[in-house]
Amino acid sequence: MTEAVPAANATREPWQDRESPVAERVADLLARMTPEEKAGQLAGFWAMPAEPGEPVAPMEDDSHETAPSLDEVVDRGLGQLTRVFGTAPVPAAEGAARLRELQRRIAAGNRFGIPAIAHEECLNGFMTWGATVFPSPPAWGASFDAELVGEMAAAIAESMRAGGVHQGLAPVLDVVRDARWGRTEECIGEDPYLVGVLGTAYVQAMERAGIVTTLKHFAGYSASRSGRNMAPVPVGPRELADVILEPFVMALRDGGARSVMHSYTDVDGMPAAADERLLTGLLRDELGFTGTVVADYFGISFLETRHRVSGSRGESGALALRAGIDVELPTVRCYGEPLIELVRAGTVPEELLDRAAARVLAMKAELGLLDGVPGDEDGGDGGDADGDLDFDPPEHRALARRLAEESVVLLSNDGVLPLSTGDGVVVTGPLAEDPFAMMGCYTFPSHVGRQHPELPLGVEIPSVADALRAELPGVRVAGSKDVFVADDADIEAAAAAARDAGVCVIVLGDRAGLFGRGTSGEGCDVETLALPGRQAELAEAVLDTGTPTVIVMLSGRPYAIEGLADRAAAVVQAFFPGEEGGPAVAGVLAGRVDPSGRMPISVPRRASGPPTTYLRAPMDGSHDWSTVDPVPLYPFGHGLTWTTFEYSDLEVGERAATDGAVTVSAVVRNTGDRAGTEVAQLYLSDPIASVVRPVRWLAGWARVRLEPGEAARVSFEVHADRTSFTGAALRRVVEPGTIGVEVGRSSADLPLRGSFTLEGPVREPGPDRVLTVPVEVTPL
């Protein structure tokens, strides 16, 4: 056994020298560690409270055994602490103090005095009791506002650092392929460029603030067969490369993400957690990733219990370690004694242990964790022991309001909106008075708070009804009991209320939950995209009254509402818009807010139809050889405003080399009598290519706010690399030829069309290929 850490007044070892390069510190430290201590750095520990409540997921610990205590594992050191804030309700200062005490115990328990990396969920905000609940990722996508998403991420990071947290398990970069998947509510949208740009903005802001971001789920999770959670993924290498992986490429290269989480699924029979070609060959060797790969919760164990490619925990640990997973989460099972035994026996090379431990220790060095517990002696972010922590300050609420307002999508409107008065307006529907309608499953009240019904939500969350009454005095409320509308009496009462009203606002959608405890969320997949429960019956009864009816959808996925939307006076969509979602929706209904959201996911026409996405091959659209029509009811990018916009004067550079660029520009003019924000969208197409290409793909956009009569020229700098794709030989190429250009309001409303020509040889762009399209807006 090597000697213990020297006292403070003794000579410091090389690994303790903060001025030395990280690689040298890590190498010196590894040389002093036993295999057990190295393995300790690869392990997570879930510090459950005394009474943790029901499990978050079914069978989350397949062994049904008692988890080890911290004292039983701490002597080897510890890699990560799991969700100290996000497992049970805890006030901010108390949580920070508990985390600090756990870190002191961990540091005191190992020979080197090294604390753990503390991670938390942060998809909709810092997932702890009393923290701001921001809008969900589809709402980010609906905003088409990368700068605002970055501001939100910076605010989340501020709270996490104040609490002593180092790593966040976000963003989700899965591209929506089938909205029946319950985790659609965690995804930004169905276009990889939109997902990549907004996800990268989130990553950049978090990493600048010192929080390690964790990209997930790598890779293919959202493309599971039939939209079922954890089902196999039937995608080919071209779809994987050109659609699924593109957001990860952007967030790694341009965002600087320092961690990646593997997907639960298998692609073509290979579980991601055991796929060395994916986690090492692609992620590290091709994409140049140097950070840590962490396991999705119990994902390594699932190699034995779910995928059945392993016969024991030790084998599962060996497979995952060889593939490239550095940290087992949420707690140690396979990377503990079962793996250490294989290392001792020589079955698993100790070099693999060294490789993973070196990555973890390098990250700890970057975070200052090789220097002891932050805040104890040398200053740093150790939390606020004075009880002054506020995880929902006014400025964060204001930011949540801005993002919620920008994310509300006006899908249709016959002129009934905006409402001019509250007199004669009735609000009904199962979600009219439900604060949970604002929150996805990875918000604290939905994820954990429901297990503690005796406690308040922790933050103020006005309902749509509350907020609309505040906007327009005189509004009456006749809400239903719950999202499923179980009783005929609810339907009859809503219809009666609508019959006596001048305008009816009916609030429909989802209540998020986990594994069947909701209508949207992880493990809450659906067979069709029909509205949950009896909501369609309720809406039909209200519409049958003849009263002009506004349908408000608060949901985690788009639902097929063709028969309802045709009869409604207006339809408004909001994707779990967060704690300020009620005022945001009410602001649109009342006209205080100009709607500027655009659909990040297509709205299907029929509930039982095929999965709908605009990013499709020519033969995947309507044609004479099939009776099934996949055309959506509302397309990707669609959204209305209070005013109208005209597009004109398209200018396109005529030609460029296959390593060059062209400028595409157009004039956008507000032709209405109100100010408004247009989201001008640029799409490209490749009419003749060596492989089947999408009909069109999003290449760029600009949010343009214009007063009545004002105009601006929107210019896009399109590099040839933005036309690249995975060719016939499965290598990325830029091909010469004609590239189509379309500019307009949505993927299906593109009044301006042109083209340019790429000239020169077929080119294979390298790892430095251009990933984005710069945009400039010039007022005229």
Side-chain angles (χ1 to χ4, degrees), residues 704-716:
V704 186
R705 181 160 183 82
L706 297 171
E707 295 294 323
E710 283 188 341
R713 179 168 288 279
V714 182
S715 300
F716 304 90

Side-chain angles (χ1 to χ4, degrees), residues 46 129 415 553 602 637 673 717:
W46 203 336
W129 191 63
M553 297 294 301
S602 302
D673 57 6
E717 189 71 14

